[in-house]
Amino acid sequence: KEKALLDWIIHLGLLAQPLDCRTIGPFVKDICGSFPGKNWLQRFLVRNNDAVQFCRTAALDPKHARSFNSTTVHDHFDKLKGVIEEHGIPWENIYNMDEKGCQL
């Protein structure tokens, strides 16, 4: 059961949908039939520290937030359109990927 949970956690992480301390409980309940105990997550992370890491997310940097405005976004897409037209890239060869390579 723990191997199945570990595989599922890794799979969700690769899909950019990682579990956190609040959302892992229902997955454990679905696999094992009961909700995990209070200290279960800490013990699970120690047992599987080579495959899984628990970390907190960081807030958006204010400089990045300020640069996400209409002028910058329009400039980006104008440049993208120019590259697509310059190289003759067909639409079927354009994919929406994030910086980690995850297709959205």
Side-chain angles (χ1 to χ4, degrees):
K1 293 178 183 181
E2 188 162 311
K3 176 70 173 127
L5 178 64
L6 187 60
D7 289 343
W8 189 244
I9 289 171
I10 292 170
H11 175 71
L12 288 174
L14 292 172
L15 293 176
Q17 299 174 343
L19 298 174
D20 62 18
C21 58
R22 289 172 300 218
T23 58
I24 197 169
F27 282 93
V28 173
K29 184 176 182 210
D30 288 344
I31 292 173
C32 299
S34 63
F35 208 77
K38 184 171 82 170
N39 297 318
W40 175 86
L41 181 58
Q42 289 80 14
R43 293 191 314 268
F44 175 79
L45 292 172
V46 169
R47 286 191 306 272
N48 299 289
N49 66 352
D50 58 330
V52 179
Q53 292 182 1
F54 182 75
C55 58
R56 297 185 187 270
T57 58
L60 180 63
D61 184 358
K63 288 179 254 177
H64 290 154
R66 280 193 301 275
S67 68
F68 189 70
N69 58 48
S70 179
T71 305
T72 306
V73 172
H74 285 314
D75 180 55
H76 167 76
F77 284 106
D78 288 341
K79 289 177 182 175
L80 178 63
K81 182 180 177 184
V83 169
I84 291 169
E85 290 172 353
E86 177 184 340
H87 296 287
I89 301 170
W91 278 108
E92 58 268 12
N93 291 344
I94 299 174
Y95 301 92
N96 186 13
M97 301 271 187
D98 69 4
E99 64 275 2
K100 295 181 181 176
C102 296
Q103 186 172 352
L104 302 175

